[in-house]
Amino acid sequence: MADPRTSIINQRLKHINRIIAVTSGKGGVGKSLIATTLALTLSKQHRKVGLFDLDFTSPSTHLILGTKDAQPKEEKGIVPPTINGIEYMSLIYYCSDKPTPLRGADTSNVLIELLAITRWSPLDYLIIDMPPGIGDAVLDLIRLVNRIEFLIVTTPSQLAFETVKKQAILLQQLHAPIIGIIENMKMTNTKNIQQQTEKLNLAYIGEIPYDPQVEDAIGDETKLLSTVIAQKITEITHRRL
Amino acid sequence: MHEWALAEAVIAAATQIAAKEKLKQITEITIKIGELQQVETDILEFAFQQLKPANLKNTKFHIKSQKATLKCRVCGNTWLFARQQLDPAIVEAIHFIPETAHTYIKCPKCSSPDFEITEGRGIQLEKVTGVR
Ligand SMILES: Nc1ncnc2c1ncn2[C@@H]1O[C@H](COP(=O)(O)OP(=O)(O)OP(=O)(O)O)[C@@H](O)[C@H]1O
Ligand SMILES: [Mg+2]
Ligand SMILES: [Zn+2]
């Protein structure tokens, strides 16, 4: 008995130029904010962009993006709605704002189903917002998506970086490409994380300051794009993407 | 019509199996459909007829259906999924993503959403036969 869905996944993603998962060993470091802002800034640079929320039990990109009433369309699969110029897909469309408790095998099944039935347009970038850690989502993407690349987020905290280090080592062992590490919520000028990143033979691709104003920009594309966070991410895209 | 996407997946999977087993023609494909996903077999068969690539020209499709069994992890209760008792919007969500059963369905005995879908979740490829 075979699962036919996994056989179609790479065919569905064939017309997407780069598939980038925004990940971290640690929770709460800014993955969702960075993934969403990255998608918006790339879209502003006239790239065709998709955003896919893989944090099924605690999704938040729909709030950051400010999704409107648009719904996915059923058309030989499902066609994601376009929100602020970005093609967007999340489990939120199927469970609205209700709690959806999922165990490991369930999250794998949701991931496989969504990858197998979602029909993205030809895109320059598909940005994936990951749940924290090195569990099902990371392992499934490596197993199922041939051209997956990882962008790792940490904070200046050694607690965050220790988990990021484990994740980076795992990804290296599995030969999964790592674009580099972003240091988010920076409040001082220490070079600590940069030095440790370079010791791991990874690219330190930029730092983003702590911005107390960002809460007010959540759900508002214009405000979000005018934050210092968006400015820094735009610089990173120029240098690294 | 998201059955179409599933039909494409079945054909892609069968084609890969045929390549691995060096089959020139696929004569029969047997698939099993779990009732939780409520796949419309008419649409599925129509999609198969429309999609058929060259190595599947004369393929016979067999579609079996399987009841969906849910088992509570908290109290051990086992029950069958019954769409009739559910709101159409919920039925549709479960049709697209069967795991949203955990959003909308609770154990009838203890009300827990922590149950296992032991059987009959979605589509499975049971058998591919052909000639070399
Ligand atoms: N540079 C920043 N300045 C200020 N606040 C930030 C910054 N980056 C993220 N935040 C805030 O920190 C909180 C956590 O961010 P976010 O939800 O993006 O993290 P996450 O890594 O996706 O978390 P989870 O692991 O739960 O998915 C949010 O309230 C977000 O607005
Ligand atoms: Mg998040
Ligand atoms: Zn129970």
Side-chain angles (χ1 to χ4, degrees):
Chain A
M1 198 95 86
D3 184 344
R5 299 171 301 162
T6 54
S7 300
I8 198 85
I9 289 175
N10 286 298
Q11 206 169 305
R12 293 265 184 262
L13 301 173
K14 201 166 59 184
H15 301 292
I16 299 177
N17 193 24
R18 294 186 71 179
I19 306 168
I20 300 174
V22 179
T23 184
S24 178
K26 193 84 177 157
V29 297
K31 295 178 293 296
S32 301
L33 185 66
I34 290 175
T36 310
T37 311
L38 176 61
L40 285 170
T41 55
L42 286 169
S43 170
K44 279 289 156 285
Q45 298 168 52
H46 309 290
R47 315 291 176 78
K48 290 222 48 177
V49 184
L51 177 63
F52 184 16
D53 197 323
L54 272 199
D55 195 350
F56 299 136
T57 53
S58 314
S60 39
T61 52
H62 62 293
L63 299 172
I64 303 170
L65 194 59
T67 54
K68 317 266 155 41
D69 295 334
Q71 292 285 321
K73 271 209 307 266
E74 185 176 7
E75 205 181 299
K76 294 187 172 179
I78 50 182
V79 177
T82 299
I83 295 156
N84 297 332
I86 294 169
E87 290 192 12
Y88 181 68
M89 185 47 83
S90 167
L91 185 62
I92 202 79
Y93 288 121
Y94 302 98
C95 51
S96 49
D97 53 359
K98 295 194 164 53
T100 300
L102 299 173
R103 286 174 179 266
D106 299 319
T107 58
S108 281
N109 257 322
V110 176
L111 171 60
I112 292 170
E113 197 76 35
L114 282 173
L115 285 173
I117 67 177
T118 304
R119 307 187 84 103
W120 303 95
S121 305
L123 298 174
D124 296 310
Y125 296 94
L126 178 63
I127 308 297
I128 303 179
D129 181 33
M130 301 289 284
I134 45 179
D136 301 279
V138 168
L139 296 173
D140 279 332
L141 284 184
I142 293 174
R143 174 170 75 100
L144 299 167
V145 177
N146 292 343
R147 289 181 296 111
I148 192 73
E149 302 172 68
F150 291 90
L151 184 62
I152 301 181
V153 181
T154 184
T155 66
S157 163
Q158 197 60 35
L159 291 185
F161 194 76
E162 287 299 326
T163 68
V164 156
K165 203 152 76 183
K166 287 202 190 95
Q167 180 173 44
I169 292 167
L170 175 84
L171 294 177
Q172 286 170 329
Q173 282 169 353
L174 297 174
H175 308 291
I178 301 173
I179 297 168
I181 291 185
I182 293 180
E183 185 179 4
N184 187 29
M185 303 196 203
K186 194 123 182 175
M187 300 211 264
T188 63
N189 279 327
T190 99
K191 294 266 178 268
N192 178 28
I193 298 294
Q194 178 165 5
Q195 284 159 358
Q196 293 189 68
T197 299
E198 284 158 3
K199 254 194 224 145
L200 289 172
N201 280 323
L202 290 174
Y204 180 84
I205 62 173
E207 46 184 60
I208 298 173
Y210 184 83
D211 176 2
Q213 246 78 76
V214 77
E215 188 63 28
D216 184 47
I218 299 293
D220 184 327
E221 184 204 9
T222 316
K223 281 189 187 167
L224 206 54
L225 282 170
S226 62
T227 58
V228 56
I229 297 175
Q231 266 168 45
K232 291 290 176 182
I233 292 177
T234 306
E235 285 168 30
I236 293 172
T237 63
H238 289 155
R239 276 184 285 119
R240 297 289 179 167
L241 296 180
Chain B
M1 283 279 274
H2 107 287
E3 277 80 358
W4 195 280
L6 297 173
E8 284 177 330
V10 169
I11 287 177
T15 306
Q16 282 170 16
I17 291 171
K20 214 186 273 162
E21 295 180 3
K22 303 201 166 60
L23 306 177
K24 280 213 192 72
Q25 280 290 326
I26 297 175
T27 47
E28 288 180 63
I29 293 178
T30 307
I31 57 176
K32 205 184 230 177
I33 293 177
E35 281 188 3
L36 189 58
Q37 190 154 32
Q38 318 146 65
V39 169
E40 301 267 357
T41 47
D42 292 355
I43 305 179
L44 195 66
E45 288 196 64
F46 175 73
F48 283 139
Q49 299 315 319
Q50 298 291 307
L51 284 165
K52 272 186 179 181
N55 62 335
L56 273 105
K57 272 234 165 59
N58 304 306
T59 308
K60 262 194 79 95
F61 287 92
H62 304 286
I63 303 178
K64 296 183 188 171
S65 126
Q66 181 179 38
K67 292 245 177 289
T69 310
L70 311 178
K71 179 166 194 244
C72 179
R73 284 196 173 91
V74 178
C75 75
N77 180 35
T78 300
W79 73 101
L80 288 178
F81 168 73
R83 63 184 284 178
Q84 301 79 349
Q85 297 157 8
L86 296 169
D87 183 275
I90 293 175
V91 167
E92 185 171 281
I94 297 174
H95 167 59
F96 282 109
I97 313 288
E99 282 64 36
T100 58
H102 295 285
T103 318
Y104 304 107
I105 297 177
K106 308 270 183 284
C107 168
K109 261 214 177 122
C110 78
S111 304
S112 173
D114 185 14
F115 53 82
E116 194 185 341
I117 303 160
T118 49
E119 237 181 25
R121 176 206 177 273
I123 198 158
Q124 290 204 292
L125 186 55
E126 198 173 65
K127 204 164 136 211
V128 175
T129 40
V131 287
R132 295 212 170 158

